Amino acid sequence: MIRNAANVSFYCRESKKNKDGIAPIELSLVINGKRCYVQLPRKENPTAFKRGINSKKDSDLKDYLRAIRDRLNEIETTILRDEKALTAESLRHYFKTGGYEVYTVGALFDDYMRILAKRVGVDLTHKTFRKYELARDRFYKILSPDEPVSSITKAIILDYQASLNQLFDYVTTNSNCQKIKTVVQFGIDNGRIKINPFSGVRLRRGEKNVQFLTEEELAKIRMTDFHNESLNRVRDLFVFQAASGLSYCDMAKLTPEDFQQAPNGQYYIHDKRNKTGVYFTSVILEDGVDILRKYDFQLPMISNQKINCFLKVIRDFCGIDKPIFSHVARHTYATRCLNKGVRLEVVARLLGHSTTKLTQHYAKLLDKSILAEVDEAFLKLKEE
C-alpha cells in the first residue's frame, strides 16, 4: 500500500466564471497534507459541471476527468519507480511539463540565503552574510546558477578551490570553501543533493600571519602631527583602538556612559561584542585615556572604509613597512598585553573571545621579549 498516494479532486468555481458564464476546471492534488492546484485547459459552466459529475450517466466530461486521473496515476508510478520525492508539487510539475522539476544551483543558494537573511541581526552579522554572498558569487564563476545541483561535483569543488588559491591566501580560500560546503550540506540534508561533492576534498586549515605594531611603531604614529585634521583624527582613533583592543564596530557604538572608572582610577568598558554577543571587559591603557580626555569621551567616528584609507597615508608618512588597517590596532593591543605578561586567559576576556583558542593567534611575542625572558631564566640558573 502506498502511504503517500495522491488525493485528486476537481473543481469548477462560480467565483471564477467569465462573462460567458464558464470557468476553468481546477485539479486539486493533496499528498501528505500538502495541497496544490492545477488549472486545466477545459472550461465548463459551474452548474453544468456539478450536475455532470454527480450524474450516474457517462459523459464526455467524465471521460475527460477519468483520463486526467489515469494520467496522474501513471506519473505517480513513474516518480516512485524513479525513486524521486513524491510531493503534491512534484506531481503537479510533472503533469504540467512532462518531466521532473530541475532544481538549480541558483535555487539551492537562494533557499539557503533566504534562511540566512532571517538570522541577520539575531545571531548573524551583516558582515558574515556578505561573506556568504561573495563566496556564492565566486562559485557562480565556476558553475552557472542555471545548472542543476547534480552538476556540483568533486571536480567543480576542486576547480573552485584552485581558482581561489590563485587569488587569495589559503585561509581565505578555506573560508570560502567552508561556506560553500555549508550550502551543499543544506542541499544534502533536504534531499536535493544525493552525493556529497566534498567527500575526499581536503580543506587546508591554518592561521593568517597576524599583523601588529611594535611599541616603537605605535609611538611614532602617536607622536606625529600630520598637519591635517582628518589624518590626526584617524591617528587618534587608531591609538585608542591599540589602547583598548576594540574592533571598529564596538568602538563606533560607544557613548560617554560606556566608560567606567575603577577605584584605582583605571578606565574600562564592560559590554557585549557586536559581532558575537560575547561579553568583554576592556581595560583602557593610558594613551587611550589621553585620547578620550582630548575628545571629552566622545570619539570622532568616521566610516571604517575612510579610516583604512587614511591609515595607508599614515603608514607611508611614518615609513612603516607593514600593512596597517583598523583591526591591526586590536592585534596590537592583544600583543602589548601579552608582552607585558598578561595571561592568555585574561587577554581573551579583554578581547571578548569565548575561548583562548581564538586568542592564541595574537600571541606574537617580540624578539626582544623572547631574548629577555631566556636571559632572565638563565641568569637565575647562574645565581643558583
Side-chain angles (χ1 to χ4, degrees):
M1 178 180 179
I2 301 174
R3 294 183 179 179
N4 53 355
N7 185 346
V8 179
S9 304
F10 298 97
Y11 299 90
C12 188
R13 305 176 194 273
E14 288 279 348
S15 60
K16 294 191 175 183
K17 284 195 306 186
N18 61 17
K19 62 181 179 179
D20 297 323
I22 60 175
I25 299 175
E26 291 179 285
L27 164 66
S28 169
L29 298 172
V30 181
I31 299 180
N32 292 334
K34 297 297 179 70
R35 180 191 298 271
C36 68
Y37 292 95
V38 180
Q39 185 170 298
L40 300 176
R42 182 163 173 167
K43 296 180 180 180
E44 293 284 344
N45 177 278
T47 303
F49 174 84
K50 187 178 294 185
R51 186 168 56 246
I53 61 174
N54 289 330
S55 173
K56 294 182 179 180
K57 294 181 180 180
D58 286 337
S59 64
D60 176 62
L61 174 61
K62 284 189 174 182
D63 289 341
Y64 176 75
L65 299 181
R66 191 178 297 113
I68 296 294
R69 285 182 182 275
D70 290 342
R71 176 61 182 147
L72 290 170
N73 287 335
E74 291 174 4
I75 294 171
E76 185 177 352
T77 301
T78 300
I79 292 175
L80 291 172
R81 184 185 63 234
D82 292 345
E83 297 184 347
K84 302 288 186 180
L86 178 60
T87 65
E89 185 58 35
S90 67
L91 189 56
R92 182 199 68 82
H93 188 276
Y94 201 113
F95 177 78
K96 289 190 68 176
T97 65
Y100 296 112
E101 177 185 9
V102 177
Y103 190 70
T104 64
V105 173
L108 172 65
F109 277 94
D110 288 346
D111 287 347
Y112 186 77
M113 297 299 287
R114 194 178 301 113
I115 295 172
L116 213 59
K118 294 178 181 179
R119 294 172 51 193
V120 174
V122 180
D123 63 346
L124 193 77
T125 64
H126 180 75
K127 184 178 180 180
T128 300
F129 181 79
R130 180 59 183 153
K131 288 180 180 180
Y132 271 91
E133 288 183 320
L134 292 173
R136 174 202 62 194
D137 294 345
R138 290 163 184 152
F139 190 75
Y140 283 171
K141 293 180 180 179
I142 303 298
L143 186 63
S144 169
D146 296 327
E147 294 293 326
V149 289
S150 58
S151 300
I152 306 178
T153 62
K154 183 176 181 178
I156 291 293
I157 299 301
L158 292 174
D159 190 8
Y160 179 66
Q161 187 180 40
S163 299
L164 292 178
N165 278 329
Q166 293 178 332
L167 301 172
F168 308 109
D169 57 51
Y170 62 85
V171 175
T172 304
T173 294
N174 180 70
S175 176
N176 278 264
C177 288
Q178 287 289 356
K179 288 174 176 58
I180 299 301
K181 186 176 182 180
T182 300
V183 177
V184 167
Q185 188 60 53
F186 171 78
I188 293 172
D189 293 342
N190 287 278
R192 296 294 191 172
I193 298 176
K194 302 300 180 184
I195 300 175
N196 186 357
F198 277 89
S199 179
V201 176
R202 183 181 177 185
L203 298 182
R204 183 181 177 188
R205 298 181 180 275
E207 295 180 352
K208 287 185 177 180
N209 183 24
V210 176
Q211 296 290 343
F212 64 94
L213 299 187
T214 64
E215 290 288 355
E216 291 78 9
E217 290 167 335
L218 182 60
K220 193 170 188 179
I221 291 176
R222 184 174 61 246
M223 301 302 293
T224 300
D225 183 356
F226 298 98
H227 304 288
N228 178 282
E229 183 180 349
S230 296
L231 288 175
N232 285 340
R233 183 169 56 189
V234 170
R235 173 204 61 199
D236 291 342
L237 291 173
F238 185 84
V239 169
F240 175 77
Q241 277 188 277
S244 63
L246 297 180
S247 66
Y248 171 82
C249 289
D250 293 326
M251 179 174 65
K253 68 178 184 178
L254 286 175
T255 64
E257 292 73 28
D258 290 319
F259 301 105
Q260 303 180 51
Q261 193 171 19
N264 65 356
Q266 275 187 315
Y267 282 93
Y268 67 96
I269 302 164
H270 182 70
D271 203 352
K272 188 164 60 173
R273 288 206 65 201
N274 187 64
K275 179 179 179 180
T276 62
V278 176
Y279 280 96
F280 67 90
T281 301
S282 170
V283 178
I284 305 171
L285 306 182
E286 185 177 351
D287 45 352
V289 175
D290 291 340
I291 298 297
L292 289 177
R293 288 175 175 152
K294 176 180 179 179
Y295 293 101
D296 197 23
F297 289 81
Q298 289 186 308
L299 295 171
M301 293 304 303
I302 59 174
S303 73
N304 195 27
Q305 184 179 11
K306 288 184 178 179
I307 286 178
N308 289 331
C309 287
F310 284 126
L311 282 174
K312 292 178 182 178
V313 178
I314 289 173
R315 176 198 65 189
D316 295 339
F317 193 95
C318 293
I320 298 174
D321 187 22
K322 62 178 64 171
I324 301 180
F325 44 91
S326 177
H327 214 65
V328 168
R330 180 170 164 85
H331 299 173
T332 301
Y333 175 78
T335 308
R336 294 174 79 185
C337 291
L338 289 166
N339 283 330
K340 291 296 183 181
V342 180
R343 290 182 295 111
L344 192 66
E345 294 81 0
V346 175
V347 176
R349 180 66 183 273
L350 292 170
L351 297 174
H353 287 166
S354 57
T355 169
T356 56
K357 288 183 179 179
L358 301 172
T359 316
Q360 285 172 349
H361 73 287
Y362 288 106
K364 307 292 183 181
L365 291 173
L366 302 179
D367 289 341
K368 65 179 183 181
S369 297
I370 297 172
L371 293 171
E373 187 161 331
V374 173
D375 185 56
E376 183 181 354
F378 279 87
L379 182 63
K380 288 180 180 178
L381 287 176
K382 289 179 181 180
E383 291 176 351
E384 292 175 359

